[in-house]
Amino acid sequence: MKVPFITKQEVEEIAKTYPTPFHIYDEKGIRENARKLNQAFSWNKGFKEYFAVKANPNPTILKILHEEGCGTDCSSLAELIMSEKCGIVGRDVMFSSNDTPAEEFKKAAEIGATINLDDFTHIDFLNGITGIPKRICCRFNPGGIFKLGESGESVQVMDNPGDAKYGMTEDQILEAYTRLRDLGAEEFGIHSFLASNTVTNEYYPALAGILFKLAVKIKEKTGVSLSFINLSGGVGVAYKPDQTDNDILAIGEGVRKQFEEILVPAGLGEVKIFTELGRFMLAPYGHLVTKAVHEKHIYKEYIGVDACASNLMRPAMYGSYHHITVLGKENEPCDHVYDVTGSLCENNDKFAIDRALPRIDKGDYIVIHDTGAHGFAMGYNYNGRLWSAELLKREDGSIVEIRRAQTIDDYFATLDGFWDITV
Ligand SMILES: *Cc1c(COP(=O)(O)O)cnc(C)c1O
C-alpha cells in the first residue's frame, strides 16, 4: 500500500496559503534515500551520484542533494547555470548531453564540469571550441537489444540500444580514447544508459558487467586506464502498488561483485563508480496534490480535478500509472470506478482511467503519487494552463515554498511590446 507523506489535515492547512494544485516534496524521504544510495556504494572509494537535474530542476532540491554528497548531471545550458547558481561546480558536475550546441560545451568547460561526449565527431567539435580538457568521458552504445532475464521470470527488461540516438560504437570508443589522449586528455571515464525505469535489482550489475569488460578491453587495446565508470540513470521506482521496490543495497552489492570479478584482477581496482540517477532519487518523494471540483456521469463516471496534464504529463504522454490516494479516505473500500481528468481540451488529459477508488466527493483532496521526478519538470503551458507552485515539507514538518506558481503576467511576459503590431 502506498502511503502519502502528508495527511488530509496538513493539506487543509497548506491550502489556506497555497491553493491546489501544487507539487510537494518530502525532504526527509529525499535525504534518507540519498544516504542509502551512498551506503550501498560505500565499498567504492570515490563513488558519487550526480543527480539528473532534468528530473527535478529546483535549486532547493539540488542543494539538499548536494549536502548529501551528490553532484549534478546537467544536459543543457539552463541546467548548467542552475547548478552554478547553487554553488555546484567543477568535479561535482557531469555534463551528459547529446546534439550539443557549442555554447553549452563552452559553459560546461567554464564551470569545470566533466564533459561526457556523446559522439566521436564531438571530439573535434569540442577541441575547436575549448580544447580538450584534462578529464573527459565518452558515452557508449553497445547496439542490438539489451535483454535482462528470460521471459517467464520475474525480471524482464528489454530496451533497444540499436535504435537509440545516444553514444558511440565500440570501435569508435576505442579510437576516441586514443585520439583524446593525443589531444591532451589525462583522465578518462565511460558512461552508458541502456534501460529506463528498471524495477529489478539486476540492471545496474548487468550494465556494470558490460562496462567493466569494456574497460579491460580499452586498457588492453589502447593502454588507457579508465579512472571512472558512470552507470548513468535507469534505476526505477515501483509506481504500481503491487510492484516490489528496488533494493539499492542489493544493487550496490551486485555491482561490487562484478567489480571484484572483472576490474580488480585487471589492475583496475581504483576505478570510481558514478551514477546519474534522477527518478530513483526523487520520484517517490513528490506528490501532486489536487482537489476534486466536478463530478460527471455520462457513459462513464468522471471526476474533474483542478490539476491537468500540464502539471504532470506522464499519464498523457506514456500512459503511465500514478497511484492515487483520496485523502481522509485511505481506509474506505475502493468500490467506485472513475476516470480522473484535468481540463485540457485533449482526451488524454486523464490521471487515471477506470480506476477503482473510494467514493469521491467534490472538495476532496487527492494525492497523485510518485511525481517528484519528471512531474513539474515536464510542465508546459498548453491551453494557457499555468505552472503550479512547488512546496517542500521540511524534516521538522514545516512547509516552505520553493517555487511560486506562475501568474497570468508570467504567461504574457514574452508578449511585452508586441500588442501594437499592425496586422
Ligand atoms: C534522463 C537521464 C538520466 C536520469 O535517468 P533516470 O531514469 O531518471 O534515472 C541520467 N543520465 C542521462 C544522460 C539522462 O539523460
Side-chain angles (χ1 to χ4, degrees):
M1 198 172 116
K2 281 187 182 273
V3 181
F5 56 78
I6 42 171
T7 62
K8 182 181 176 201
Q9 287 70 25
E10 284 175 293
V11 166
E12 282 170 348
E13 201 50 41
I14 295 166
K16 290 178 188 164
T17 314
Y18 308 105
T20 53
F22 54 79
H23 283 270
I24 185 163
Y25 310 114
D26 174 23
E27 180 175 8
K28 187 162 179 277
I30 294 169
R31 286 188 187 274
E32 283 174 1
N33 183 62
R35 283 172 201 170
K36 217 162 153 192
L37 171 70
N38 283 328
Q39 187 196 334
F41 285 92
S42 57
W43 54 267
N44 181 257
K45 267 190 288 163
F47 169 78
K48 196 169 186 71
E49 151 70 4
Y50 293 84
F51 174 62
V53 176
K54 72 164 193 253
N56 191 322
N58 187 294
T60 307
I61 299 293
L62 301 191
K63 285 195 258 180
I64 290 172
L65 288 171
H66 193 230
E67 276 184 20
E68 297 299 336
C70 306
T72 54
D73 164 37
C74 302
S75 59
S76 68
L77 185 63
E79 290 177 4
L80 286 165
I81 293 171
M82 182 179 288
S83 186
E84 183 186 29
K85 279 175 178 281
C86 291
I88 308 170
V89 294
R91 289 195 164 215
D92 284 353
V93 185
M94 281 293 303
F95 182 57
S96 293
S97 145
N98 70 93
D99 189 21
T100 312
E103 58 168 3
E104 302 195 354
F105 276 138
K106 222 183 243 168
K107 184 72 194 176
E110 184 194 313
I111 70 168
T114 301
I115 294 174
N116 182 19
L117 294 172
D118 181 67
D119 189 44
F120 187 76
T121 63
H122 291 192
I123 298 173
D124 285 343
F125 186 65
L126 178 64
N127 195 33
I129 302 161
T130 63
I132 298 299
K134 294 263 179 287
R135 170 158 137 142
I136 194 87
C137 184
C138 294
R139 184 166 184 168
F140 173 56
N141 181 335
I145 288 169
F146 176 72
K147 212 167 162 216
L148 201 60
E150 300 303 318
S151 53
E153 287 182 23
S154 58
V155 177
Q156 278 185 54
V157 173
M158 202 166 80
D159 268 43
N160 214 345
D163 277 342
K165 65 173 178 170
Y166 310 105
M168 308 184 203
T169 67
E170 185 172 315
D171 287 347
Q172 287 172 337
I173 217 161
L174 288 166
E175 208 182 324
Y177 290 114
T178 311
R179 176 136 181 82
L180 287 163
R181 186 181 48 199
D182 292 347
L183 291 169
E186 292 171 359
E187 197 188 341
F188 304 87
I190 195 166
H191 166 284
S192 194
F193 192 162
L194 300 186
S196 213
N197 191 30
T198 57
V199 190
T200 154
N201 297 334
E202 312 300 321
Y203 169 64
Y204 257 8
L207 170 65
I210 293 171
L211 291 179
F212 293 173
K213 282 180 196 143
L214 184 55
V216 174
K217 197 165 180 180
I218 289 166
K219 188 179 174 196
E220 286 167 3
K221 297 221 161 166
T222 69
V224 164
S225 289
L226 298 182
S227 80
F228 61 90
I229 294 181
N230 186 333
L231 301 176
S232 187
V235 176
V237 300
Y239 285 98
K240 295 183 179 163
D242 61 354
Q243 286 177 309
T244 309
D245 273 314
N246 284 323
D247 176 353
I248 198 65
L249 296 177
I251 291 173
E253 179 57 19
V255 174
R256 191 188 65 78
K257 279 202 187 109
Q258 298 288 326
F259 192 95
E260 298 291 338
E261 258 170 49
I262 303 167
L263 288 183
V264 172
L268 289 166
E270 295 298 308
V271 165
K272 302 181 190 80
I273 302 298
F274 294 166
T275 55
E276 286 174 350
L277 295 168
R279 192 189 310 272
F280 181 78
M281 303 307 287
L282 249 300
Y285 315 109
H287 293 332
L288 172 59
V289 181
T290 182
K291 187 161 73 172
V293 286
H294 291 289
E295 187 176 356
K296 175 166 179 168
H297 318 271
I298 46 172
Y299 308 103
K300 296 177 84 171
E301 300 294 313
Y302 295 94
I303 294 295
V305 296
D306 59 7
C308 66
S310 66
N311 304 113
L312 174 68
M313 198 197 230
R314 298 185 72 257
M317 191 171 179
Y318 312 115
S320 310
Y321 180 95
H322 279 268
H323 198 63
I324 284 178
T325 298
V326 185
L327 289 177
K329 299 186 175 175
E330 286 83 348
N331 299 317
E332 289 185 20
C334 293
D335 52 3
H336 286 62
V337 174
Y338 295 115
D339 281 16
V340 178
T341 83
S343 61
L344 294 187
C345 304
E346 286 284 342
N347 197 40
N348 65 3
D349 184 15
K350 295 181 178 178
F351 293 115
I353 296 172
D354 297 330
R355 184 78 58 90
L357 290 165
R359 179 203 149 91
I360 296 176
D361 296 294
K362 277 184 268 180
D364 279 349
Y365 287 114
I366 290 171
V367 160
I368 304 177
H369 288 256
D370 301 314
T371 56
H374 315 124
F376 181 93
M378 289 173 92
Y380 57 116
N381 280 140
Y382 188 51
N383 260 187
R385 293 291 159 203
L386 305 178
W387 304 346
S388 77
E390 289 180 290
L391 310 177
L392 180 70
K393 179 175 175 178
R394 309 292 321 232
E395 286 178 289
D396 65 4
S398 62
I399 304 294
V400 17
E401 187 180 42
I402 58 172
R403 189 196 301 262
R404 68 164 172 82
Q406 232 180 2
T407 63
I408 286 283
D409 285 345
D410 293 327
Y411 183 80
F412 283 105
T414 50
L415 289 168
D416 281 354
F418 290 94
W419 297 101
D420 300 329
I421 289 179
T422 313
V423 290

